[in-house]
Amino acid sequence: MAQPTLAVVGATGSVGSVMLELLSSRRNVWGEIRLIASARSAGKTLTCRGERLDVRELTAEAFDGVDVAMFDVPDAVSEHWAPIAVSRGATVVDNSSAFRMRPDVPLVVPEVNREAVHDRPVGIVSSANCTVAAMIIAVSPLHDEYGLRELVLASYQAASGAGQAGVDTLHDQLTKVAGDRLLGGRPGNVRQAVGDDLGPFPAPLALNVVPWSGELADLGWSSEELKLRNESRKILSLPALKVSATCVRVPVVTGHSIAVHAVFAAEVTADGARQVLRNAPGVILVDDPEAGEFPMPIDAVGTDPSWVGRIRRAMDDPRALSFFITGDNMRKGAALNTVQIAELIAAELAKGAPA
């Protein structure tokens, strides 16, 4: 059969632009690629696979003839338009959180549970949260080897996780504080220097860390912290997994990091864990503290794997392991994971049945 038609919904956004880069650099499995965005972006011209493509307005008719549609739009937009795309014949791969916890929608990280993509009763597949995606790629092979029982997590999330507004806010604040070496040494002087330009953050991000990401949920937890718990349980098929997370926003442009304390059913060693991770798909091991080699956002940005290091067996529990993960939240955390899922569906369509 002819190569399937792909739609990119939200093509003009920051993640959409990374999707177009990936579609231009990965093995080509697509026929027509159709770019779709809001009415205010319709008519723009973008480049994908070396072709100049006009952006279409998001309408029901835009999905006619589309086989797979990748969505990177706000939750409410996905909730409204994804079912419409399905009704016009497309399979939707959605990068929002709108459908992730629905029991009739698979939540997929291809390196972990790629087989789940084939069971999609409502025609929608969800791509995991950006922090979850980076973390779960490293946690899953350790679970397979040792049997995961509990996760205690602290995330260090980049400004780009809040969109382009987050990146612009961070750069603007850094400009305001640059050169004044007294800032950060007295209470209130960073707030005074930054002023009211907080952007999408509840406090200044420059010269600071903000222990908050997401919306307020029950009992003081944030929505991002609940995503780490709920999505990890679903992807790993561990509905009773104990997870406690604290999400922190840090003054990094791109690259989410996670400090992981994992408790297993079996005894684990640091060398054994390194061997498991060395052979794990989508993982690069960067673990030589003596040489100053650690997984860090400034090195992981622009790359596809999850970088893992600082691997230590817990001093007080032979079944527990501590380690650190960094991944590019715009690539594997968003665009790449969505593209990978779409490619699995394209392979399925090419064969006429699940692979």
Side-chain angles (χ1 to χ4, degrees):
M1 63 171 288
Q3 289 179 307
T5 295
L6 174 71
V8 181
V9 184
T12 57
S14 54
V15 173
S17 65
V18 180
M19 287 179 175
L20 300 190
E21 290 176 19
L22 291 167
L23 292 169
S24 300
S25 61
R26 293 173 66 82
R27 186 173 69 89
N28 184 37
V29 301
W30 304 107
E32 178 191 354
I33 292 180
R34 201 173 291 181
L35 309 185
I36 300 174
S38 65
R40 68 178 180 275
S41 296
K44 289 184 178 180
T45 302
L46 301 175
T47 300
C48 182
R49 299 186 303 184
E51 303 174 56
R52 298 290 288 170
L53 301 175
D54 292 334
V55 178
R56 305 187 186 196
E57 182 180 350
L58 178 56
T59 64
E61 293 73 24
F63 295 104
D64 290 344
V66 169
D67 297 294
V68 182
M70 301 192 304
F71 274 61
D72 187 78
V73 292
D75 290 5
V77 179
S78 282
E79 287 173 0
H80 178 76
W81 285 101
I84 293 173
V86 172
S87 74
R88 309 295 280 212
T91 297
V92 169
V93 185
D94 183 46
N95 193 43
S96 81
S97 62
F99 304 100
R100 287 178 187 152
M101 298 314 300
R102 276 182 47 167
D104 55 357
V105 174
L107 178 62
V108 177
V109 175
E111 292 86 348
V112 178
N113 64 336
R114 64 188 293 141
E115 70 288 343
V117 79
H118 302 307
D119 182 20
R120 42 181 194 273
V122 298
I124 300 171
V125 181
S126 278
S127 184
N129 167 268
C130 50
T131 314
V132 173
M135 184 229 5
I136 212 78
I137 287 177
V139 168
S140 177
L142 294 171
H143 165 57
D144 293 341
E145 185 73 19
Y146 301 109
L148 184 64
R149 292 294 180 267
E150 183 176 356
L151 289 171
V152 181
L153 310 169
S155 73
Y156 304 79
Q157 295 180 217
S160 58
Q164 189 60 44
V167 175
D168 292 342
T169 297
L170 175 59
H171 280 300
D172 289 345
Q173 291 181 0
L174 290 173
T175 299
K176 291 178 180 179
V177 303
D180 188 342
R181 298 196 177 194
L182 297 178
L183 289 178
R186 295 285 187 275
N189 64 0
V190 171
R191 288 185 182 274
Q192 185 175 13
V194 167
D196 296 329
D197 180 22
L198 301 180
F201 311 118
L205 192 57
L207 303 182
N208 196 26
V209 297
V210 182
W212 188 259
S213 180
E215 307 299 324
L216 181 62
D218 292 340
L219 302 174
W221 296 96
S222 79
S223 58
E224 288 290 306
E225 291 160 352
L226 296 184
K227 288 174 186 177
L228 281 165
R229 177 178 185 262
N230 297 334
E231 294 186 29
S232 296
R233 287 176 159 192
K234 184 173 180 178
I235 294 166
L236 295 173
S237 298
L238 293 173
L241 179 67
K242 296 179 180 179
V243 182
S244 180
T246 300
C247 289
V248 181
R249 192 73 71 179
V250 296
V252 169
V253 173
T254 296
H256 287 353
S257 303
I258 313 99
V260 180
H261 180 80
V263 181
F264 300 95
E267 186 170 333
V268 60
T269 66
D271 285 341
R274 289 187 190 97
Q275 188 58 37
V276 168
L277 292 169
R278 193 173 284 117
N279 297 318
V283 170
I284 182 169
L285 193 65
V286 185
D287 192 22
D288 190 352
E290 189 174 349
E293 295 181 0
F294 318 105
M296 294 181 288
I298 58 170
D299 301 316
V301 64
T303 71
D304 293 338
S306 288
W307 296 43
V308 185
R310 292 299 326 279
I311 299 171
R312 298 145 284 151
R313 187 166 84 166
M315 290 185 283
D316 303 314
D317 187 347
R319 300 172 300 114
L321 196 71
S322 293
F323 51 99
F324 195 80
I325 304 170
T326 294
D328 185 322
N329 53 294
M330 303 294 286
R331 292 181 73 87
K332 182 56 186 173
L336 176 60
N337 201 67
T338 307
V339 168
Q340 287 175 304
I341 295 169
E343 289 172 350
L344 290 176
I345 298 169
E348 178 184 314
L349 293 173
K351 293 180 179 179

